[in-house]
Amino acid sequence: MSGLPDHLRRPPRGMRDWLPPQFYALKHMEDVLSRVAESFGYRRVEMPVVEHFEVLAKKAGQEVINEIYYFKDKAGRDLGLRFDMTVPVARALSYSLDVPRPVRWYYFTKVFRYDEPQHGRYREFYQFGIELVGSSTPRADAEVLHVLADSLSAAGAVDYVVKINDRRAVDKMLEALGLSAYRDVIYRALDKKLKLPREEVVAVMTSGGVPRDKAEKIYDMTSEMPLQEAADHLTRLDQSLGAHYAKLVKYLDASTGLGGFRFDMSIVRGLDYYTGIVFEAFAGEYKLAVGGGGRYDDLLELYSGIKTPALGFAIGVERLMEAVGLHNVEKPLDYYIYIFDDEAYPQAVAVAKKLRSAGFSVAVELGEKSLKEAFEYILKIGTRYLIIIGKKELERGVVKIRDLQKREEYEKPINEL
Ligand code: HAM
């Protein structure tokens, strides 16, 4: 067969085409999730897909930096595709200083990571997320977790679990164990705790110089517990951290209940910009995290020079759709108008215009199909009504309407449509 070879007919590796049924499923997610964010007063933003490489690389961490799509433009500028929206939002706020704080923004858009594609891991994917900028209170933490929980529920993932931790708690623990110098490698190991067996997680730490007995101790100390126990646990590490979590638990209990939350000391997350609370969200049996987020109190200062506390989350939209089994949404045509020849064309377009202005989708026969062929076609694309305007109908000022759902046929005067 001639034409392009198969691999060129498909999108580039790790990317996908969104044909109408998949696109409308995505659009449904967008509508549902946007409604949640809007209902909390968040307002939508969009930023360029292309960013200054220097901005992207500032606080991403080596693992993410390795995944940036990097290139030079024709003028030699170092650019890259955004790997998330937190960084572009922080950059935009670094010059939009007149936007009143706290800022409540959300997004539903594409991000890019040059990762090894596999199930649930793409190179181009959608993130829905919010950023709450300008507050450091436990109420701000609770609000972001509340929006996350409501977003997951609204999308159909009612059996979500959000695992929460705090980087300050991990740092205190490392300090107490005299292991602060090994922070990076210990974080890297903990980040793998949900994915790898004990031996391998310990091995990541020992290969980075952490003594074996301490590596095992860290593994065992970073266990999971009900969120209600977190405050007591954290108070032992740091008084004020414990007090912050006591309040957070109280606020969350009042807003969503605590059923969907756990405290898990192994959650540290891969991105370098986090400074406080961090969390990952899971939905039902789906293995990979469907969302994640946390507090990044130093990131804005890196861009604007002004200390600005902030936190947010992002949901991986394709993963969430997979987790709730939303793949296709069919969007049938409302009306298909069939005419036999040009004589009825002015009448056909007039009827179409009327129906379109009433909000219906209408297609008019292009003049190549017999009535039988047109009928077969509209059954395939999904259509509610077939309108036929033949000679007889034209003379009498009526149209013939076939209701394909109810399998009925009737006539209607054109002026009553
Ligand atoms: P993240 O955990 O890197 O966080 O990404 C958020 C979510 O995007 C993940 O939980 C996952 O569902 C999805 N995701 C990540 N990588 C891929 C991939 N290669 N293919 C498909 N889905 C993926 C962030 O991006 C932070 N900016 C979140 C945040 C907002 N933190 C504070 N504010």
Side-chain angles (χ1 to χ4, degrees):
M1 216 164 54
S2 59
L4 288 173
D6 190 58
H7 77 279
L8 291 183
R9 298 178 188 213
R10 311 280 163 176
R13 195 162 141 72
M15 306 196 177
R16 62 180 284 190
D17 294 321
W18 294 85
L19 305 188
Q22 295 98 52
F23 182 80
Y24 283 102
L26 178 73
K27 175 91 172 21
H28 172 75
M29 269 295 168
E30 177 178 358
D31 293 345
V32 166
L33 295 172
S34 302
R35 218 173 296 136
V36 175
E38 295 268 350
S39 75
F40 280 81
Y42 286 72
R43 294 298 172 247
R44 187 156 173 173
V45 290
E46 184 55 281
M47 272 93 205
V49 163
V50 176
E51 273 292 342
H52 312 285
F53 182 75
E54 195 184 331
V55 170
L56 293 175
K58 206 143 193 123
K59 207 79 179 105
Q62 201 50 49
E63 265 181 54
V64 177
I65 290 177
N66 293 340
E67 292 177 359
I68 296 176
Y69 272 88
Y70 162 80
F71 60 98
K72 274 189 195 294
D73 74 1
K74 291 182 187 183
R77 297 183 189 89
D78 291 307
L79 300 172
L81 302 187
R82 62 186 182 206
F83 57 82
D84 78 354
M85 278 296 283
T86 307
V87 166
V89 161
R91 179 193 51 69
L93 284 171
S94 73
Y95 72 88
S96 309
L97 297 172
D98 51 342
V99 178
R101 317 290 154 123
V103 178
R104 289 181 170 90
W105 281 357
Y106 81 99
Y107 44 84
F108 185 105
T109 197
K110 281 181 180 181
V111 299
F112 305 82
R113 294 185 192 178
Y114 197 83
D115 198 353
E116 205 39 54
Q118 46 191 288
H119 181 75
R121 203 171 286 281
Y122 313 103
R123 288 183 173 172
E124 178 188 68
F125 58 100
Y126 281 88
Q127 280 192 344
F128 160 75
I130 69 166
E131 309 296 342
L132 174 52
V133 177
S135 172
S136 57
T137 66
R139 267 196 221 170
D141 293 5
E143 176 174 307
V144 168
L145 289 166
H146 189 178
V147 181
L148 173 61
D150 280 11
S151 302
L152 294 169
S153 301
V158 280
D159 48 357
Y160 65 83
V161 176
V162 180
K163 298 186 174 189
I164 300 176
N165 190 18
D166 199 296
R167 281 196 171 182
R168 288 166 296 187
V170 181
D171 291 346
K172 283 276 172 199
M173 183 184 77
L174 297 186
E175 205 182 299
L177 292 169
L179 291 173
S180 298
Y182 300 100
R183 182 178 187 264
D184 286 358
V185 67
I186 292 170
Y187 269 39
R188 219 174 328 122
L190 290 178
D191 195 37
K192 308 224 167 350
K193 199 172 163 185
L194 294 176
K195 297 161 218 156
L196 295 181
R198 185 175 199 268
E199 236 353 270
E200 288 181 45
V201 177
V202 169
V204 173
M205 289 188 263
T206 53
S207 67
V210 181
R212 191 175 175 83
D213 58 327
K214 293 207 165 158
E216 285 174 346
K217 193 162 186 183
I218 287 168
Y219 188 97
D220 296 333
M221 280 173 78
T222 49
S223 55
E224 204 190 276
M225 66 188 83
L227 188 60
Q228 294 90 316
E229 291 170 23
D232 285 346
H233 185 75
L234 292 176
T235 303
R236 271 175 255 138
L237 287 166
D238 182 294
Q239 195 79 33
S240 70
L241 204 53
H244 183 98
Y245 275 81
K247 284 189 175 172
L248 174 60
V249 168
K250 205 170 69 189
Y251 298 144
L252 267 183
D253 196 19
S255 42
T256 61
L258 298 175
F261 297 95
R262 306 276 301 165
F263 193 77
D264 186 330
M265 288 276 283
S266 73
I267 301 291
V268 287
R269 306 207 9 92
L271 293 153
D272 246 16
Y273 51 60
Y274 292 116
T275 55
I277 191 170
V278 280
F279 45 86
E280 299 220 325
F282 297 86
E285 300 296 300
Y286 193 71
K287 288 270 177 307
L288 303 167
V290 295
R295 183 168 273 293
Y296 47 95
D297 286 350
D298 298 338
L299 186 64
L300 272 99
E301 188 177 8
L302 281 180
Y303 300 146
S304 66
I306 302 165
K307 181 114 187 115
T308 313
L311 87 157
F313 73 77
I315 285 175
V317 178
E318 289 86 347
R319 287 190 188 176
L320 183 58
M321 290 171 72
E322 185 74 29
V324 302
L326 176 69
H327 300 290
N328 296 311
V329 169
E330 298 297 338
K331 197 153 193 259
L333 180 67
D334 296 319
Y335 288 91
Y336 192 88
I337 303 183
Y338 189 84
I339 49 177
F340 296 89
D341 50 45
D342 279 352
E343 206 190 332
Y345 190 75
Q347 202 61 273
V349 289
V351 170
K353 190 174 178 181
K354 220 166 160 180
L355 291 168
R356 286 185 191 126
S357 65
F360 296 106
S361 56
V362 187
V364 177
E365 164 61 29
L366 297 177
E368 283 153 335
K369 292 193 196 299
S370 68
L371 180 57
K372 182 166 175 279
E373 287 166 344
F375 196 68
E376 283 162 3
Y377 170 70
I378 64 174
L379 284 182
K380 278 189 205 147
I381 64 168
T383 308
R384 181 73 209 271
Y385 299 101
L386 169 64
I387 291 186
I388 301 168
I389 314 177
K391 222 179 177 58
K392 275 186 299 183
E393 287 83 22
L394 207 53
E395 280 164 10
R396 293 166 44 228
V398 299
V399 298
K400 197 189 282 175
I401 301 179
R402 198 176 286 179
D403 184 331
L404 299 174
Q405 216 165 51
K406 293 191 184 152
R407 296 164 181 263
E408 299 172 351
E409 195 172 276
Y410 49 90
E411 279 187 354
K412 214 167 188 159
I414 286 177
N415 53 17
E416 282 179 26
L417 269 176

